[in-house]
Amino acid sequence: MKGIKHPRNDETINPSGNASIYDIIDGIDASRRTFIKGSVGSTALAAAGGLTLSGLVGTVQAAPVPAGLGFPGIGFESVPASVSIATAPAASAVADKITVPTGYTAELFVAWGDAIMPGGVPFASDASNTAAEQAKQFGAHNDGMAFFPFTGADGKPTSDRGILAINNEYTHEEILTPSGVAGASIASVRKSQAAHGVSILEARRRNGKWAVVKTSPYGRRLTANTKTRISGPAAGHALMKANEYTITENGSFPTGKQTDGFTAYGTINNCANGVTPWGTYLTCEENFNGNFGSTAALPSATSGEAGKLFNRYGFTAAGFDYKWHTQDPRFDLAVNPNESNLFGWVVEVDPYDPKSVPVKRTALGRIKHESAQYVVDAAGHLAVYMGDDERNEYIYKFVSAGKYSSTNRAANRDLLDAGTLYVAKFAADLSGQWIALLPGTIGVDGLALRDNPNFAGADDAEVLAKILIKTRMAADAVGATMMDRPEWTGARPRIGGFNKIEIYCTLTNNNRRGTNAPSSNKADGSTAAGSARPPVDAANPREDNIYGHIIRWQEDADTVKATSFTWNLFLQAGDTKTTKAPKPTNNYKGNIVADPFGSADFGAPDGLWFDHFGRLWVQTDQIGDASGDWKNLGANCMVCADPNTGMARRFLTSPNGCEVTGIAMSPDGKTMWVGVQHPGEGSPASNPEKISKWPANQWGVESDGVTSLPFGRPRSSVVVITKDDGGIIGS
């Protein structure tokens, strides 16, 4: 997620003299250098300038697939970038609409404020809907999503009816209520809290029309005040016990007690997502720090446990301008500091059971979770791959202690509560290690984590709980590789003869990479969130990496239990038309493969998802108005790429000032849902439509042919896309 709510963290601290990428490459032993030459092809490497940084990143090769097997192809031509060079960088440079290829139709499926459950009322274009009404409507700023089909009469998943679970990441207070952020009150805060979380709705196609079933018993909202259960190794720990409040429409009132460490209220800043093979939804809490604030000065980073945690996870007294803490003491760090530890988790939800209680799975660690991609290997071992979305953070995987059962759904109920959390370390020779975050793991200071003051406890059970609550600090301690904003992860389908466990991760950008003065996350966990300026390295090879890249790796021995892997860079995003002055390690042009050359340029890759047929879909998250460094790339977009060749084509362009994020597909591949978040973000309360009037300006009614689209303010929405000939999307 970008948006106005994403942290900037521009403070520079922690100078370091780390070796440059050139020093690292020069240090590769002769046998390993031969391996690298062979893996990329000696002719290509020579043409690229030999065994140098540019040679390595310019010649990455896709994993081989037997001829005639695997990838089915991309059957559409790239749509043009949504930008008019003649008018850029004016706001009018970007078309305020969705564009898809010829032969496809896009319609609006659901928008912020639509009723999705019994008792829901229509959206009020003046933003006068109350918090109670919002709690039965589609939430704000949708992000990751997944489709859960029902079973048809033939016993197979149906493609005409199912449940969509959709994250609602954050709110833009200036358009959420008539008075904007200046009019913060308990009523406006409760509405903001009701617009966060997850929207669960029933989707049905009748007579060719997709519609939300607004009276469905499956319709459900999870908000910032929904009761949840805490499970796993950190459950019950003292740091998970917060002040208890009675939460009402008119305020949160202290009971004088503490919660039990097994109960929390709410899920917030729900960014990307995942699913489990047993049919549950994983919603990921990302920038939770911004929902908190403080009515008093926060403790310093060196004044105790709370101060260290606030510093490492980016808490500030002001927060991200939600103003929740001014009206709701539950989110005031001055009076309720431990409440913040109840967020930053992966939350498991059963979409098929409206009465089920969501579960925060602490075994998967506490970070700014961006996504959770599962893989089950041939032996039944399950792993979940995750990114921590902030500059200079890490890539993780969780491996369950138990095995997945394909025949007993109930047996998988607590599979995510026991196992090992690992963090990745990438080496310049294209190998990597998974470092276990366990009490006995030795850190870079030579101490076992159990002997590190940050995690010290009465026994290893308490040490592990602290490691999981302070996951970032544990990753610092073991020397994991700092990455350029690791976001969505995706697992390549093992189909058509392809049997490797191959994972992709978007690294959205990092303008602090390779800039002066160089610094790295300190091993003692004291570095402020997002503040370091790491030197370039093999996995993050471009200084001032404003356009981002995609990395991928294969697990050794084709098992998720592997503690080593091999990796390469799938692509580097960029602008082939840029006139920006190049830097020694960054010409800003990227290496996206497209025909014609430059026809699929994009930057800031964020959403990443493989469809059932092996196509890789990438969604972008940049400023979205064709200004500055984005004047040639224009609006945010979604591209489709071939994992074998890297060939990419632009499938969709988006409205002004938005982000493209969230994607799902019906089992038959003939329907696709795509999310559009925060169109027109930045407009003031006095003129909500200043930047965008989407979606009302593009369609008069939604895909059901009935629900009208009023003007008044832009609305984050989900679009439904079909192919005019009834075929598979992308074919």
Side-chain angles (χ1 to χ4, degrees), residues 643-654:
N644 295 319
T645 65
M647 176 67 72
R649 294 182 182 176
R650 188 184 297 113
F651 180 79
L652 176 150
T653 61
S654 64

Side-chain angles (χ1 to χ4, degrees), residues 196-263:
H196 275 69
V198 182
S199 295
I200 300 173
L201 58 88
E202 182 179 341
R204 185 177 292 185
R205 180 168 54 188
R206 288 194 180 105
N207 301 319
K209 292 283 187 181
W210 278 102
V212 176
V213 182
K214 298 177 182 178
T215 58
S216 172
Y218 296 98
R220 185 183 183 191
R221 283 298 320 283
L222 309 181
T223 74
N225 294 309
T226 299
K227 185 177 182 179
T228 67
R229 180 168 67 87
I230 302 170
S231 71
H237 189 271
L239 288 172
M240 302 294 283
K241 297 177 180 180
N243 293 340
E244 184 182 74
Y245 292 87
T246 299
I247 302 169
T248 74
E249 179 182 351
N250 299 314
S252 297
F253 304 99
T255 67
K257 302 176 182 179
Q258 278 202 316
T259 59
D260 59 6
F262 296 90
T263 304

Side-chain angles (χ1 to χ4, degrees), residues 104-183:
Y104 288 81
T105 295
E107 298 176 286
L108 188 68
F109 177 69
V110 66
W112 162 47
D114 282 348
I116 63 167
M117 58 192 295
V121 301
F123 174 72
S125 60
D126 61 357
S128 61
N129 287 124
T130 65
E133 290 171 339
Q134 174 67 82
K136 294 185 176 182
Q137 296 173 322
F138 188 67
H141 287 19
N142 45 274
D143 205 292
M145 70 179 87
F147 182 74
F148 297 87
F150 287 111
T151 300
D154 59 0
K156 297 179 180 179
T158 177
S159 290
D160 291 322
R161 184 185 176 214
I163 298 170
L164 271 173
I166 306 167
N167 287 347
N168 299 114
E169 184 179 5
Y170 71 107
T171 52
H172 178 199
E173 263 58 15
E174 289 298 289
I175 68 169
L176 181 72
T177 62
S179 57
V181 71

Side-chain angles (χ1 to χ4, degrees), residues 280-514:
T280 57
Y281 186 65
L282 301 177
T283 181
C284 301
E285 297 176 331
E286 190 202 23
N287 287 312
F288 57 92
N289 60 312
N291 295 85
F292 288 83
S294 179
T295 54
L298 293 180
S300 71
T302 58
S303 63
E305 193 164 44
K308 288 182 178 181
L309 275 167
F310 292 161
N311 178 67
R312 190 62 186 87
Y313 282 88
F315 290 91
T316 64
F320 289 175
D321 215 25
Y322 291 108
K323 306 295 186 186
W324 290 6
H325 69 286
T326 68
Q327 307 295 323
D328 185 346
R330 193 159 70 92
F331 291 89
D332 184 352
L333 296 169
V335 299
N336 193 25
N338 278 3
E339 186 77 19
S340 61
N341 299 329
L342 305 183
F343 297 93
W345 306 102
V346 172
V347 186
E348 185 175 6
V349 184
D350 188 344
Y352 294 109
D353 182 1
K355 295 182 180 180
S356 61
V357 176
V359 185
K360 299 199 174 193
R361 301 291 187 184
T362 64
L364 277 65
R366 178 173 170 264
I367 57 177
K368 291 186 177 181
H369 281 281
E370 183 67 22
S371 67
Q373 172 66 60
Y374 86 83
V375 173
V376 176
D377 66 20
H381 303 296
L382 178 136
V384 180
Y385 296 85
M386 303 165 285
D388 185 354
D389 181 14
E390 194 152 19
R391 289 173 293 188
N392 313 320
E393 293 304 332
Y394 309 110
I395 292 172
Y396 299 84
K397 80 168 175 180
F398 166 81
V399 180
S400 65
K403 292 185 178 182
Y404 163 65
S405 172
S406 61
T407 58
N408 185 352
R409 188 173 191 251
N412 303 309
R413 187 177 304 277
D414 296 319
L415 198 57
L416 299 180
D417 278 346
T420 303
L421 184 66
Y422 297 85
V423 67
K425 186 169 186 176
F426 295 82
D429 64 358
L430 306 185
S431 69
Q433 290 179 286
W434 289 112
I435 305 174
L437 298 180
L438 293 171
T441 300
I442 305 300
V444 295
D445 59 0
L447 293 176
L449 292 184
R450 66 169 61 91
D451 298 320
N452 185 312
N454 288 324
F455 316 110
D459 52 32
D460 275 359
E462 184 177 10
V463 172
L464 180 59
K466 285 190 173 183
I467 287 171
L468 296 171
I469 295 167
K470 306 176 183 183
T471 303
R472 284 183 166 183
M473 298 164 75
D476 294 341
V478 300
T481 301
M482 299 162 60
M483 308 299 287
D484 288 350
R485 274 188 65 190
E487 299 221 27
W488 290 49
T489 52
R492 182 173 175 180
R494 285 167 285 166
I495 58 175
F498 180 79
N499 295 309
K500 298 293 183 181
I501 297 175
E502 185 169 285
I503 312 298
Y504 292 59
C505 181
T506 48
L507 301 169
T508 297
N509 51 36
N510 188 354
N511 62 354
R512 300 177 76 83
R513 174 74 63 178

Side-chain angles (χ1 to χ4, degrees), residues 655-704:
N656 196 20
C658 80
E659 168 187 351
V660 182
T661 183
I663 183 171
M665 184 178 278
S666 59
D668 62 8
K670 296 180 179 181
T671 300
M672 175 182 280
W673 290 270
V674 176
V676 174
Q677 188 188 96
H678 63 72
E681 186 172 54
S683 295
S686 59
N687 185 8
E689 294 184 316
K690 178 180 179 180
I691 296 174
S692 174
K693 296 183 178 182
W694 191 85
N697 63 327
Q698 185 167 3
W699 296 289
V701 295
E702 294 183 4
S703 56
D704 60 8

Side-chain angles (χ1 to χ4, degrees), residues 9-18 391-392 482 484 510-520 530-537 540-546 580 583-586 588:
N9 299 311
D10 289 327
E11 180 185 5
T12 301
I13 64 174
N14 191 20
S16 167
N18 288 8
R391 289 173 293 188
N392 313 320
M482 299 162 60
D484 288 350
N510 188 354
N511 62 354
R512 300 177 76 83
R513 174 74 63 178
T515 55
N516 290 323
S519 63
S520 299
S531 64
R533 295 184 180 274
V536 295
D537 59 36
N540 306 272
R542 293 192 292 184
E543 59 191 295
D544 188 33
N545 185 20
I546 60 173
K580 194 175 177 68
K583 293 181 179 294
T585 61
N586 190 0
Y588 300 102

